Amino acid sequence: MRKLVYIAGTGLLTCITWINVHSQNGSFSLKQCVETALNNNIPVKQNELLMQSARADWQKSKANLLPDLNGNWGYGWNQGRAIDPFTNGYIDQRFSSSGAGLNAGLTLFGGLQLQNLIRQTGYAYHASEMEWQQSKDKLTLDVILAYLTALNNEDTWKIMSEQAEITRKQVERLTVMVNEGAVGSYMLSDMKGQLSGDELAAINNYNALQAAKLELSQLMNIPYNKDMQLERLPEGELLEMYPNTPAEIYAASLQNLAQVKAADLRVKSTAKGVQVAKGGYYPYLRLNGNLNTNFSSVSARSVPTTVSEVNTGQYVLIDNIKNPVLEQQQNYTAQKISYNSQFKNNLGSYIGLSLSIPIFNNLQVATSVKKAKLSAKNAVYQAENTKLILKQSIEKAYQDMASAYERYKVLQEQVIQYKESFRSAEIRFNLGTIVSTEYLLTKNNYDRARLNLTQTWYEYIFRTRILDFYQGRLAL
């Protein structure tokens, strides 16, 4: 999987370099077509973004277990009656104030919602990862089909072109013979009609070939090139019947197919979603703490200056003379307290526990639990339906593959026989021992057998690729 992610991550540079190299000679192998399509396909890239988003949700849910820490700071100006943040007393003057603090909290217990949320988002992330892989597998299968269709149409076009050339030579030969009076003009007319039919079939198959190349180019998201050359597939793949039975293929698909894995992971994710919702019934215990301080522009401290003597209002009699009693008094001056000093001196802290007990919440938790259960049940149905459709598709694909294999064996023998029949008919027709209608019937039988054999061969190859796809092991 890491290798696939690396390929997708570096796809743009690889694709640009690769296209520049191969656009010069226009030659593509099946593997190169698949890699180019995977690098350029926008829906695949969108599925990759969905996977990355799900991974971010998973990482976020794990981070919820960590304590939170937030800081705050403010500065403002006050006019009129207000509370001095330094003395907490009322004052009626203009002043400025400031405050700062740190707040931290840690969830100690929350009905295991955080732990279950981690598991839920983890399953969802791995499910989206499998869905991304499924989109790449599906695109790969589409490219293989388009590639094989193009090769099939190319072979068909070559067969019809060869047959048209054979018919053209017969027209040239009969033209000479008609001019010499050796044969009737009706034979030349029959052969010219056959030539027109062969040329039309060749044109139709050439157009079908270009349509297949266009579809393949669109899947790869590259400019269409009518001269695109596709590497041939190795022959000899039909020596034996496909080795696996439908039951074996289905068993392997349940273990390996990304689509099945994604459906099962969605079931697990929604099951954890039910537990997350049920966590709302439990008390919520949290550890909180904060550190704060403040500043006030009117805050000041008294600083001693001089000492002076003041009359106390009392006196003493000395020789019947009243002498006033004096005492020394310390004089002070007000000194503003600096911003930094106030922030340091006014520092305060708090730590404590808070417990929230749900008593009645307008049935919000009950509704969430009910919806989560419905989602979980729907995910189970979707997984079961995915497996049911998969089993039916495997049975149908296997039947189609077996049918193609049996038809191919019969067509091999038919081509051998019709080839010999056409060779003999061509000799006899050139010698004038048979008429044109008999020759054309033999030729058409041989042409049709060759076309059927080619189409059946490619059909078998594609059916085997589908069965490989279901087992999670597409071969390029």
Side-chain angles (χ1 to χ4, degrees):
M1 183 58 67
R2 290 181 178 176
K3 182 178 180 181
L4 292 175
V5 173
Y6 171 79
I7 291 175
T10 59
L12 181 59
L13 179 60
T14 303
C15 177
I16 293 175
T17 304
W18 186 85
I19 289 177
N20 287 336
V21 172
H22 289 272
S23 61
Q24 297 174 1
N25 53 31
S27 178
F28 292 85
S29 68
L30 177 56
K31 183 178 180 180
Q32 291 166 342
C33 290
V34 170
E35 290 177 350
T36 303
L38 292 176
N39 291 331
N40 293 351
N41 187 264
I42 292 179
V44 168
K45 293 180 179 180
Q46 289 176 320
N47 279 317
E48 182 182 7
L49 293 179
L50 292 176
M51 180 270 295
Q52 293 175 353
S53 177
R55 180 170 56 190
D57 291 337
W58 185 33
Q59 294 171 342
K60 177 184 176 182
S61 65
K62 290 189 288 186
N64 289 336
L65 293 177
L66 301 175
D68 57 79
L69 178 64
N70 298 284
N72 61 83
W73 178 88
Y75 197 97
W77 292 264
N78 295 272
Q79 180 70 40
R81 184 176 175 84
I83 295 178
D84 182 359
F86 183 75
T87 64
N88 285 328
Y90 283 102
I91 58 175
D92 190 0
Q93 66 181 85
R94 183 177 182 180
F95 69 98
S96 59
S97 62
S98 179
L102 288 174
N103 299 286
L106 176 64
T107 300
L108 300 178
F109 181 77
L112 298 179
Q113 283 185 310
L114 298 181
Q115 291 81 358
N116 287 321
L117 182 61
I118 292 175
R119 298 185 182 94
Q120 179 188 16
T121 54
Y123 287 134
Y125 159 61
H126 292 302
S128 63
E129 196 175 31
M130 289 297 101
E131 289 165 352
W132 176 43
Q133 181 62 42
Q134 171 67 14
S135 67
K136 293 190 290 184
D137 291 343
K138 178 62 169 60
L139 177 62
T140 299
L141 191 62
D142 291 340
V143 172
I144 291 175
L145 173 59
Y147 192 95
L148 293 177
T149 301
L151 291 181
N152 180 29
N153 291 340
E154 183 178 16
D155 287 352
T156 302
W157 169 60
K158 288 180 179 179
I159 291 173
M160 296 310 302
S161 297
E162 292 172 1
Q163 295 306 314
E165 183 61 26
I166 293 174
T167 307
R168 186 177 294 106
K169 290 180 180 180
Q170 290 291 352
V171 169
E172 294 173 355
R173 187 182 69 85
L174 289 176
T175 301
V176 174
M177 295 180 68
V178 168
N179 292 337
E180 294 177 352
V183 297
S185 59
Y186 73 92
M187 298 180 63
L188 177 60
S189 299
D190 289 341
M191 198 59 62
K192 285 184 176 180
Q194 179 67 32
L195 176 60
S196 298
D198 291 347
E199 289 176 341
L200 180 60
I203 292 174
N204 291 336
N205 284 288
Y206 179 80
N207 292 334
L209 169 61
Q210 296 305 319
K213 288 183 178 181
L214 175 60
E215 182 180 0
L216 182 60
S217 299
Q218 291 175 343
L219 287 173
M220 293 191 290
N221 197 16
I222 63 173
Y224 161 68
N225 179 10
K226 67 181 182 64
D227 297 322
M228 174 193 297
Q229 299 296 318
L230 303 178
E231 293 185 7
R232 311 300 302 178
L233 296 179
E235 297 189 12
E237 297 188 34
L238 294 181
L239 296 179
E240 296 181 358
M241 181 67 169
Y242 194 78
N244 302 108
T245 65
E248 293 172 339
I249 297 171
Y250 179 65
S253 68
L254 295 180
Q255 298 296 324
N256 302 321
L257 193 61
Q259 182 181 6
V260 175
K261 292 181 179 180
D264 290 339
L265 287 167
R266 290 295 179 189
V267 171
K268 294 180 179 179
S269 178
T270 53
K272 287 299 177 183
V274 175
Q275 297 181 11
V276 171
K278 287 182 176 179
Y281 288 125
Y282 293 88
Y284 197 83
L285 180 62
R286 185 173 175 83
L287 176 66
N288 300 298
N290 64 66
L291 183 67
N292 57 78
T293 186
N294 54 52
F295 161 82
S296 174
S297 62
V298 297
S299 299
R301 61 188 172 196
S302 297
V303 178
T305 54
T306 61
V307 178
S308 59
E309 293 183 345
V310 296
N311 193 333
T312 63
Q314 298 177 352
Y315 62 89
V316 295
L317 293 174
I318 301 176
D319 296 333
N320 292 323
I321 298 175
K322 293 182 178 179
N323 294 292
V325 177
L326 302 177
E327 66 178 0
Q328 289 185 336
Q329 179 175 297
Q330 180 69 53
N331 296 320
Y332 296 88
T333 182
Q335 185 181 52
K336 294 289 186 180
I337 304 176
S338 68
Y339 188 92
N340 290 337
S341 295
Q342 288 194 48
F343 261 48
K344 180 179 179 180
N345 297 333
N346 296 339
L347 207 60
S349 62
Y350 163 82
I351 186 171
L353 294 172
S354 63
L355 180 64
S356 175
I357 302 175
I359 298 176
F360 182 74
N361 49 28
N362 299 325
L363 300 179
Q364 294 296 314
V365 176
T367 302
S368 298
V369 171
K370 184 177 181 180
K371 293 181 65 176
K373 288 182 177 180
L374 293 175
S375 297
K377 191 173 184 179
N378 184 58
V380 171
Y381 285 150
Q382 288 180 340
E384 292 176 351
N385 190 55
T386 297
K387 295 174 183 178
L388 176 61
I389 294 176
L390 174 62
K391 185 177 181 180
Q392 294 173 346
S393 299
I394 289 175
E395 292 172 347
K396 178 66 166 58
Y398 187 88
Q399 183 182 25
D400 292 340
M401 178 277 303
S403 174
Y405 178 74
E406 295 298 329
R407 284 186 286 114
Y408 182 80
K409 290 194 300 182
V410 174
L411 287 169
Q412 277 185 312
E413 180 64 24
Q414 187 182 60
V415 168
I416 293 174
Q417 298 302 326
Y418 276 143
K419 181 179 181 180
E420 177 61 25
S421 177
F422 174 66
R423 186 189 67 81
S424 175
E426 190 172 31
I427 294 174
R428 288 183 292 154
F429 181 69
N430 292 337
L431 294 176
T433 59
I434 61 174
V435 296
S436 58
T437 54
E438 185 177 350
Y439 168 81
L440 293 178
L441 177 62
T442 306
K443 178 180 179 298
N444 289 334
N445 288 337
Y446 178 51
D447 292 344
R448 185 165 53 252
R450 289 183 64 192
L451 292 176
N452 290 338
L453 179 64
T454 299
Q455 292 171 356
T456 304
W457 188 86
Y458 282 106
E459 181 184 353
Y460 175 84
I461 295 298
F462 178 63
R463 298 302 176 186
T464 59
R465 294 298 189 272
I466 292 180
L467 296 176
D468 289 342
F469 165 76
Y470 286 136
Q471 297 173 85
R473 53 179 180 85
L474 266 177
L476 302 181

